[in-house]
Amino acid sequence: MTMATSDTAEREILFVLGSARSGTTFLNNFLDRWFDYGMGPEGTFIEPFQRRLARYGDLSKQENLTRLVEDVSRCQMLEIMRSKYRDSKKVDITPQDILSRMPEQSYAGVVYGVFRALADLRGKSRVGNKNPGYWTHLDLLDRLFGENAKYIAILRDGRDVFLSLQGTPWGGHSAYKAATRWRDALQAIEAAQRRCGPERFLLLRYEDLLRAPEETIARIADFLKITLTAKTRAAILAEAQSNPKKGNFNKWPEQMTAGDRRVFEAVAGDELAAHGYEVMSRRPRLSFFEKRYYDLVELARLARINYYHLRNKEPGDTKRKAREAAQRS
């Protein structure tokens, strides 16, 4: 196999991101269904393998590249598609599937090869992936894909995000930590938006996608340079009108306690106001001791999360267990 070697993949790719529970899955499924993107599970492998690249050596050497691709093919994202999807949606992406679709012999080429294989094997024409956590390593994605990367970030009222987090096994954040995480994600997204410009970065509001679907769909289509037929637009709008979750926003006024609202707006009130969300006329403040208390609450939450993951690990969650399963089969 002969390939070019460089630091940046040469094919267009779309990344969808946002603070967790902001509507990234909703947008992911929307793009998969109506814009023909093969999105798949969250691409959580990119940053961890980047940190471990040194152990694989020079990727221009075929044996090193193959070893990396074999390990990536056993990552949790691909194990999910292999073992946890329903039979009709299962996809088994092999090392050869990845190698045969790499535009170049580099780590960027490997990442692109994974997502291109995922799209091809699902019968999709466009390459993309969703991961809320992409906001933590946008610089890495830009180094890998440069001008060929496009981004759609979705923004949701952070107070509704906080409420949504309470219903997840890995959530349960205090209002203080939820606000801190939401604010940090938004600031990283805004920095990337300034750096990439409107041709490569689109910021959407979750609320607009639900209550003004026609205008939001037009923005997405223009950004992606995709022409939708009148029939497709009508089908999308019909689906939006019948969506049982079309009113799934602005829940916080009734469901959020006054204390949690005070804490959240003390941390992220400026960011909420800057994006048109209603806030208190006078910004609340937190004392030093309140902040330290919430830091301790967060440590306790993380301990519970780690315990949960240890109790619920399954084969395929680690490279070692994946290899053991392969040897048994």
Side-chain angles (χ1 to χ4, degrees), residues 7-8 15 17 46-47 50 133-147 149 151 187-196 200-201:
D7 296 324
T8 306
F15 294 103
L17 62 144
I46 299 175
E47 192 271 339
Q50 170 70 26
Y134 280 144
W135 70 266
T136 64
H137 45 277
L138 284 163
D139 288 348
L140 169 60
L141 296 179
D142 243 17
R143 289 200 305 273
L144 292 175
F145 296 99
E147 296 293 317
Y151 306 91
Q187 290 176 350
I189 286 167
E190 290 176 327
Q193 185 182 24
R194 290 190 295 270
R195 183 173 67 248
C196 295
R200 294 180 51 223
F201 206 109

Side-chain angles (χ1 to χ4, degrees), residues 16-275:
V16 171
L17 62 144
S19 181
R21 310 303 293 180
S22 288
T24 54
T25 298
F26 181 80
L27 179 58
N28 175 86
N29 295 340
F30 180 83
L31 291 166
D32 184 287
R33 187 162 57 255
W34 296 111
F35 287 85
D36 209 34
Y37 278 91
M39 304 298 284
E42 295 174 2
T44 53
F45 71 94
I46 299 175
E47 192 271 339
F49 273 97
Q50 170 70 26
R51 283 189 277 109
R52 300 198 293 268
L53 272 187
R55 70 180 62 174
Y56 294 97
D58 183 359
L59 296 184
S60 66
K61 296 182 178 179
Q62 190 61 45
E63 63 271 22
N64 294 340
L65 181 70
T66 300
R67 187 160 54 93
L68 170 62
V69 169
E70 287 175 347
D71 287 347
V72 169
S73 74
R74 289 185 284 261
C75 72
Q76 187 175 14
M77 170 194 165
L78 299 185
E79 284 294 329
I80 288 171
M81 299 192 72
R82 208 172 274 133
S83 61
K84 295 186 179 181
Y85 272 27
R86 296 192 302 271
D87 286 346
S88 61
K89 292 190 174 182
K90 279 186 178 179
V91 176
D92 184 7
I93 295 178
T94 67
Q96 188 53 42
D97 290 328
I98 299 169
L99 286 165
S100 65
R101 290 167 170 85
M102 289 173 52
E104 58 190 42
Q105 197 155 330
S106 67
Y107 183 56
V110 172
V111 174
Y112 183 87
V114 169
F115 294 132
R116 180 73 264 176
L118 190 157
D120 288 349
L121 295 177
R122 294 188 60 238
K124 301 290 185 176
S125 63
R126 298 184 176 95
V127 178
N129 189 252
K130 178 270 288 191
N131 180 7
Y134 280 144
W135 70 266
T136 64
H137 45 277
L138 284 163
D139 288 348
L140 169 60
L141 296 179
D142 243 17
R143 289 200 305 273
L144 292 175
F145 296 99
E147 296 293 317
N148 297 298
K150 281 192 167 187
Y151 306 91
I152 300 181
I154 190 160
L155 172 66
R156 184 185 187 187
D157 188 317
R159 294 158 298 190
D160 279 342
V161 168
F162 162 71
L163 291 174
S164 183
L165 285 167
Q166 305 316 304
T168 64
W170 45 268
H173 299 66
S174 68
Y176 177 76
K177 281 301 176 183
T180 301
R181 189 79 171 169
W182 181 86
R183 180 200 62 198
D184 291 349
L186 179 55
Q187 290 176 350
I189 286 167
E190 290 176 327
Q193 185 182 24
R194 290 190 295 270
R195 183 173 67 248
C196 295
E199 289 296 312
R200 294 180 51 223
F201 206 109
L202 176 64
L203 178 60
L204 299 174
R205 291 202 340 167
Y206 175 69
E207 296 83 1
D208 294 338
L209 192 54
L210 294 179
R211 66 188 169 198
E214 187 167 6
E215 295 86 346
T216 309
I217 291 163
R219 289 184 65 200
I220 294 171
D222 288 345
F223 174 72
L224 296 175
K225 295 181 171 55
I226 294 173
T227 301
L228 298 174
T229 65
K231 183 178 179 180
T232 299
R233 283 182 183 272
I236 296 172
L237 291 174
E239 181 184 87
Q241 290 302 318
S242 62
N243 180 6
K245 291 190 174 183
K246 65 182 180 181
N248 187 35
F249 58 90
N250 208 36
K251 294 184 173 183
W252 64 268
E254 293 184 359
Q255 298 183 19
M256 195 175 197
T257 67
D260 283 339
R261 180 184 178 184
R262 169 186 168 269
V263 171
F264 199 102
E265 292 189 24
V267 175
D270 290 345
E271 287 75 16
L272 286 166
H275 287 275

